[in-house]
Amino acid sequence: MKMNIDTPIPIVDGTTITRKEFTEKYLKPQKPVILRGLWKQYPAYEKWTMDYFKQSMGDIKVKLFSTKQANPSETLSVAHAEMKFNEYLELIEKEPTDLRLFLFPVFKHKPELLKDFGYPNITGRYIKIPFMFFGPKHSVTRMHMDIDMSNVFLTQFAGKRRVVLFPPDQSDFLYRLPFNVHGLVDIDKPDFETYPAMQYAKGCTGILEYGDTLYMPSGYWHHIEYAEGGFGLSVRTIGASVGTILTGLWNVSIQRKFDDIMFKIRGQKWFNYKKQLAFKRAEKAMQRVKENAVLQ
């Protein structure tokens, strides 16, 4: 048995789509889409290459973190290696590696990069704080939803990425941890015996290639794997509804802090409590599916 994720994410021509068409077909109904060539209008589309970053920022020392560490809390706090940025880019181009580059402040080191792009007019209400991501082949960003509930436009500049998405209404089938934005399941190695609700989850899959921009609506679960070493950039917009915006504010300002406090107080017992709730919710979700099947 495998997960129901074979539905392809739609692909449209990002150079011809109108604001009205994007709003009616994707933004309002909150449906994901891959916009091919959306960023052709900006210098970054052709300018930003691996070689460009090697030459313009190559001497900057970057701290790298090993994903093989037994203690995941140390992975993000204690660097396990350090090398020049150009050496790291050469590494991820040539071979898989467990060394990851987290939250590298590209625009702080080279603010003139901000002049290489704008914010596509197919929509508005942009949060003008862009992020860049660099990753080696086979590295995976485990499935989660973004805590601020923003809409995301993720553009690929080098390499390929496999993206698997699930809409927010699939959260219970993914065993979402309460007070958190992560689930318990591994969609690449589904354990249907431990997590039987996974069989009811319905997702979609797409491959991002050079010049592709993924529009990912707020609240969507996403699992991202680098099929090749490469990099991309994300820009965000405010959630499409008042409810979504308020949920994002709640998540960032109160829910996350509450979760951190409870973990400090109760430790593993708090995590176990959240797991129990996740399983109870998944069981209820499965029961609803079965009841609906009987009624039909």
Side-chain angles (χ1 to χ4, degrees), residues 148-149 241-253:
D148 64 355
M149 299 296 285
S241 68
V242 174
T244 300
I245 295 171
L246 292 177
T247 298
L249 290 173
W250 168 268
N251 289 347
V252 173
S253 62

Side-chain angles (χ1 to χ4, degrees), residues 2-290:
K2 65 176 185 177
M3 294 197 70
N4 184 357
I5 57 175
D6 291 337
T7 299
I9 299 172
I11 300 174
V12 302
D13 189 342
T15 65
T16 60
I17 190 170
T18 65
R19 183 168 181 144
K20 180 180 179 181
E21 182 182 1
F22 175 75
T23 299
E24 292 179 351
K25 290 186 177 181
Y26 306 107
L27 182 63
K28 283 186 177 179
Q30 290 286 273
K31 300 293 184 182
V33 64
I34 293 174
L35 302 159
R36 184 146 286 170
L38 178 66
W39 274 50
K40 279 186 177 180
Q41 59 189 300
Y42 302 121
Y45 186 82
E46 294 184 353
K47 182 178 179 180
W48 288 6
T49 64
M50 285 287 200
D51 286 340
Y52 172 75
F53 282 104
K54 289 177 192 176
Q55 295 168 10
S56 63
M57 303 178 63
D59 288 336
I60 296 173
K61 290 287 186 71
V62 295
K63 294 183 178 181
L64 306 171
F65 304 84
S66 172
T67 56
K68 293 182 179 179
Q69 292 300 310
N71 184 349
S73 65
E74 291 185 354
T75 302
L76 294 177
S77 60
V78 180
H80 303 101
E82 185 176 77
M83 64 178 67
K84 290 183 178 181
F85 188 41
N86 64 337
E87 295 173 345
Y88 180 68
L89 293 180
E90 289 175 359
L91 177 65
I92 66 175
E93 274 188 301
K94 295 177 181 177
E95 59 188 87
T97 175
D98 71 305
L99 293 175
R100 297 287 305 277
L101 178 61
F102 290 104
L103 299 178
F104 176 46
V106 178
F107 300 106
K108 178 180 178 181
H109 288 288
K110 196 172 179 62
E112 56 266 36
L113 290 174
L114 295 170
K115 299 178 182 178
D116 289 343
F117 66 92
Y119 295 86
N121 62 9
I122 60 168
T123 190
R125 305 202 302 177
Y126 284 98
I127 303 169
K128 295 186 177 181
I129 306 176
F131 294 95
M132 291 196 75
F133 301 90
F134 298 81
K137 184 177 181 179
H138 298 321
S139 62
V140 173
T141 301
R142 70 168 179 160
M143 192 165 57
H144 67 285
M145 63 169 62
D146 289 345
I147 193 169
D148 64 355
M149 299 296 285
S150 58
N151 298 307
V152 178
F153 291 83
L154 176 61
T155 301
Q156 193 72 11
F157 286 95
K160 296 180 181 179
R161 272 192 272 189
R162 169 179 170 256
V163 180
V164 182
L165 303 178
F166 294 88
D169 61 9
Q170 302 296 291
S171 293
D172 290 341
F173 298 128
L174 301 173
Y175 293 81
R176 177 184 178 176
L177 290 169
F179 314 105
N180 204 299
V181 291
H182 290 93
L184 294 172
V185 302
D186 181 347
I187 67 167
D188 283 333
K189 299 177 181 178
D191 182 352
F192 294 108
E193 183 175 345
T194 304
Y195 307 105
M198 289 180 71
Q199 63 187 295
Y200 299 104
K202 296 179 181 180
C204 54
T205 300
I207 301 294
L208 296 184
E209 301 181 4
Y210 165 69
D212 287 345
T213 297
L214 170 69
Y215 165 65
M216 184 172 62
S218 60
Y220 261 68
W221 292 87
H222 45 289
H223 169 100
I224 300 176
E225 177 185 2
Y226 283 80
E228 299 173 350
F231 67 92
L233 177 139
S234 74
V235 297
R236 298 170 293 148
T237 68
I238 295 172
S241 68
V242 174
T244 300
I245 295 171
L246 292 177
T247 298
L249 290 173
W250 168 268
N251 289 347
V252 173
S253 62
I254 298 177
Q255 179 175 266
R256 180 167 60 181
K257 292 180 180 178
F258 174 76
D259 191 37
D260 289 342
I261 291 171
M262 291 302 295
F263 187 77
K264 288 179 181 179
I265 294 173
R266 301 195 62 194
Q268 187 64 34
K269 290 182 178 179
W270 174 243
F271 181 71
N272 291 339
Y273 169 72
K274 294 198 298 180
K275 284 181 63 176
Q276 291 175 3
L277 284 181
F279 275 90
K280 287 181 180 178
R281 292 174 180 176
E283 184 65 35
K284 289 181 179 179
M286 284 193 294
Q287 188 61 38
R288 288 194 296 270
V289 172
K290 294 173 183 178

